[in-house]
């Protein structure tokens, strides 16, 4: 199965937290499990949209379907995908300053079951929070909508 993250409403290339130095040349990417410095397809914070597609494996368990893969974090029953927000310096070095945690255990079971059959689970979300900052913390519906779609 593939997991596609369709993101819109990115917050911009600069993030200035209250009372702190601003982060510049902001990018967002999917973080690889156990390798925080390994980022999948960083996208600029002012892009109109960002899309990532992850190869995943699914396993039927007594508790439901478990999703695994190189970009899937956590233990069974608490799986998630990190979107890592980074400032990129002039030398191209990435410095992570916050993350959004897309909670896979919040995918409705009928949607996940359908995605296993169709081959594609899609999560759609905006990446700017209510204060205009890069989205962070745990992300669950209704902040993200999940659907099963036909694989391409």
């Amino acid at each position: 199965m593939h997991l596609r993250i369709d993101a819109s409403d990115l917050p911009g290339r600069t993030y200035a937290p209250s009372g702190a130095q601003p982060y510049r040349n902001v990018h967002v990417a999917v973080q690889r499990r156990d390798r925080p410095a390994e980022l999948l397809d960083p996208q600029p914070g002012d892009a109109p949209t960002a899309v990532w597609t992850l190869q995943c494996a699914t396993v039927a368990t007594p508790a439901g379907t478990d999703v695994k893969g190189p970009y899937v974090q956590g233990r069974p029953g608490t799986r998630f995908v990190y979107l890592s927000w980074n400032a990129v310096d002039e030398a191209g070095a990435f410095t992570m300053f916050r993350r959004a945690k897309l909670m896979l255990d919040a995918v409705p079971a009928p949607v996940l079951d359908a995605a296993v059959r169709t081959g594609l689970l899609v999560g759609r979300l905006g990446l700017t929070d209510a204060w205009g900052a890069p989205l962070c913390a745990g992300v669950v519906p209704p902040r993200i909508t999940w659907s099963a779609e036909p694989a391409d």
Side-chain angles (χ1 to χ4, degrees):
M1 179 184 82
H2 286 93
L3 166 59
R4 189 177 75 217
I5 302 164
D6 288 350
S8 60
D9 189 32
L10 280 76
R13 287 272 187 120
T14 302
Y15 168 53
S18 180
Q21 290 286 353
Y23 296 99
R24 301 196 187 285
N25 198 15
V26 170
H27 283 66
V28 61
V30 175
Q31 179 183 311
R32 188 175 174 99
R33 181 185 65 245
D34 298 327
R35 298 181 193 164
E38 191 171 323
L39 302 172
L40 177 66
D41 199 15
Q43 297 293 308
D46 61 354
T49 61
V51 177
W52 299 274
T53 302
L54 316 175
Q55 178 67 44
C56 297
T58 57
V59 178
T61 71
T65 302
D66 187 24
V67 180
K68 300 177 181 183
Y71 294 94
V72 176
Q73 315 265 349
R75 298 176 191 262
T78 61
R79 302 277 193 209
F80 60 92
V81 172
Y82 269 137
L83 292 182
S84 177
W85 291 99
N86 295 267
V88 183
D89 68 16
E90 295 79 22
F94 284 70
T95 302
M96 193 264 298
F97 61 87
R98 65 179 6 182
R99 296 185 288 198
K101 197 175 189 179
L102 310 184
M103 305 304 296
L104 297 178
D105 61 332
V107 176
V111 172
L112 184 54
D113 293 343
V116 170
R117 289 190 304 277
T118 65
L120 180 61
L121 175 65
V122 178
R124 290 184 175 85
L125 75 161
L127 294 182
T128 300
D129 71 13
W131 300 275
L135 182 68
C136 68
V139 180
V140 298
R143 190 74 175 110
I144 186 169
T145 58
W146 294 103
S147 62
E149 299 185 11
D152 295 333

